[in-house]
Amino acid sequence: MAVAGAGYARAATIVIGNSLAEACSKAALADRSDPQSLGQCDLALQSEILDARDRASTFVNRGVMRLRREEFEFARADFDAAIALSPKVAEAYLNRGAVSVGEKRFRAGLDDINSALRLGVKEPEKAYFNRALAYEGLDDETSAYLDFQQALALKPGWDLPAHELMRFAVSRRQRPG
């Protein structure tokens, strides 16, 4: 089965305060990725004094915008920078995993997504959804199906996993003897 196009789930992070980093955060959380929003992130990283956590979060948020635009190389660089600054930011691993899935580097995607789950990503349903895409790319339909189910169980009514699950036909096998 082919992996769905740009349907992977992205996770932005929150930065609080009256700053460009906060504006970048709000834009990422609002699913924006326009040049003005990216510019706010750029200016925040260039001109604001941010602690390591907020700087890492700003890299994650800019990376999310770049991922939305399918600018995979730039998005990966942002997630790498976030991880270098703050290695326990689970959302950076989740999103870097989404980049790998988008690039059809499914094994690398699995590793990062599993790291995000171990670190306690704030929206685990997104990790399960992306991991399902990675499993599907590796032709492990059973694991993909189970992770799509888990994503939907964690966020009932979410259209993305519900749509993906409609593609599966499940049958029980009889055990011999």
Side-chain angles (χ1 to χ4, degrees):
M1 288 187 172
V3 172
Y8 27 79
R10 298 164 287 274
T13 59
I14 298 171
V15 177
I16 298 172
N18 293 327
S19 66
L20 290 166
E22 181 188 24
C24 171
S25 172
K26 286 181 178 179
L29 289 165
D31 291 334
R32 294 197 323 257
S33 58
D34 56 277
Q36 180 182 353
S37 297
L38 279 164
Q40 290 173 322
C41 300
D42 292 342
L43 282 172
L45 290 166
Q46 292 166 8
S47 64
E48 291 186 333
I49 298 170
L50 302 168
D51 65 22
R53 180 81 179 180
D54 282 349
R55 190 166 182 74
S57 292
T58 302
F59 274 117
V60 168
N61 291 330
R62 185 174 72 178
V64 164
M65 291 181 202
R66 289 173 162 176
L67 178 56
R68 255 187 225 114
R69 297 164 66 97
E70 296 190 11
E71 296 172 354
F72 296 131
E73 183 179 340
F74 294 116
R76 177 181 303 285
D78 280 344
F79 302 134
D80 287 345
I83 290 166
L85 282 167
S86 189
K88 295 191 178 189
V89 176
E91 285 68 25
Y93 292 95
L94 170 61
N95 290 305
R96 191 171 70 179
V99 167
S100 293
V101 170
E103 295 172 329
K104 301 191 182 337
R105 297 176 54 245
F106 304 113
R107 183 65 53 202
L110 271 180
D111 292 343
D112 276 336
I113 295 163
N114 286 331
S115 292
L117 286 166
R118 276 193 303 279
L119 290 168
V121 67
K122 290 180 182 85
E123 297 174 292
E125 67 276 6
K126 292 180 178 181
Y128 285 104
F129 180 85
N130 289 343
R131 193 170 76 173
L133 294 175
Y135 278 133
E136 198 168 355
L138 293 168
D139 295 324
D140 183 349
E141 284 82 14
T142 300
S143 295
Y145 176 78
L146 293 172
D147 274 358
F148 283 134
Q149 277 192 318
Q150 183 63 22
L152 190 57
L154 289 169
K155 188 172 181 181
W158 186 20
D159 290 342
L160 281 176
H163 177 75
E164 296 299 322
L165 283 167
M166 290 186 333
R167 297 183 296 110
F168 288 82
V170 179
S171 61
R172 296 209 181 268
R173 292 184 185 162
Q174 293 286 338
R175 290 185 183 215

